[in-house]
Amino acid sequence: QVQLVESGGGLVQPGGSLRLSCAASGSILRINVMGWFRQAPGKERELVATVNSFVGTRYADSAKARFTISRDNAKNTVYLQMNALKPDDTAVYYCNAQIGGSYYWGQGTQVTVSS
């Protein structure tokens, strides 16, 4: 069984920064893709950023120039550095990983951007 655990969410003022972390554990041989999605109240879950071992990174338009995804392969951990946060970034952020041809999700971490 694979488990993903997110951390790093919280309350931040507009223009502030947060760094999210997601650690994968369990029956893992290799992680091809790790990424972040988010879901705001009343909206569907959307892609934020992904990092692929072979093809690199991909970002949603809303995340470009503000967010940076990175990965520590030795720790099976993915990070999302979020800068210049806006109220529209408020959402539950979910970690996702492709492992052995299957997709796994974390429980999510709340990010709230407000004055």
Side-chain angles (χ1 to χ4, degrees):
Q1 185 72 26
V2 175
Q3 184 177 12
L4 305 179
V5 180
E6 304 102 330
S7 62
L11 175 64
V12 64
Q13 294 187 351
S17 298
L18 287 172
R19 190 178 78 154
L20 306 183
S21 300
C22 173
S25 62
S27 182
I28 301 172
L29 295 178
R30 189 169 189 173
I31 303 177
N32 293 326
V33 183
M34 297 190 78
W36 292 93
F37 290 69
R38 69 185 182 187
Q39 187 166 17
K43 297 183 178 180
E44 295 185 354
R45 190 172 299 184
E46 64 177 353
L47 171 71
V48 178
T50 61
V51 56
N52 184 286
S53 297
F54 299 98
V55 302
T57 59
R58 181 164 69 97
Y59 295 91
D61 289 341
S62 61
K64 293 179 180 178
R66 297 191 300 124
F67 295 2
T68 301
I69 188 169
S70 61
R71 177 177 170 181
D72 186 332
N73 292 328
K75 298 180 179 179
N76 290 326
T77 300
V78 65
Y79 305 92
L80 184 68
Q81 179 66 46
M82 304 187 295
N83 299 321
L85 284 163
K86 307 173 182 179
D88 286 347
D89 295 319
T90 296
V92 177
Y93 285 70
Y94 296 92
C95 179
N96 174 262
Q98 184 189 27
I99 303 172
S102 299
Y103 289 90
Y104 300 88
W105 293 92
Q107 291 181 305
T109 183
Q110 176 71 49
V111 172
T112 302
V113 185
S114 176
S115 298

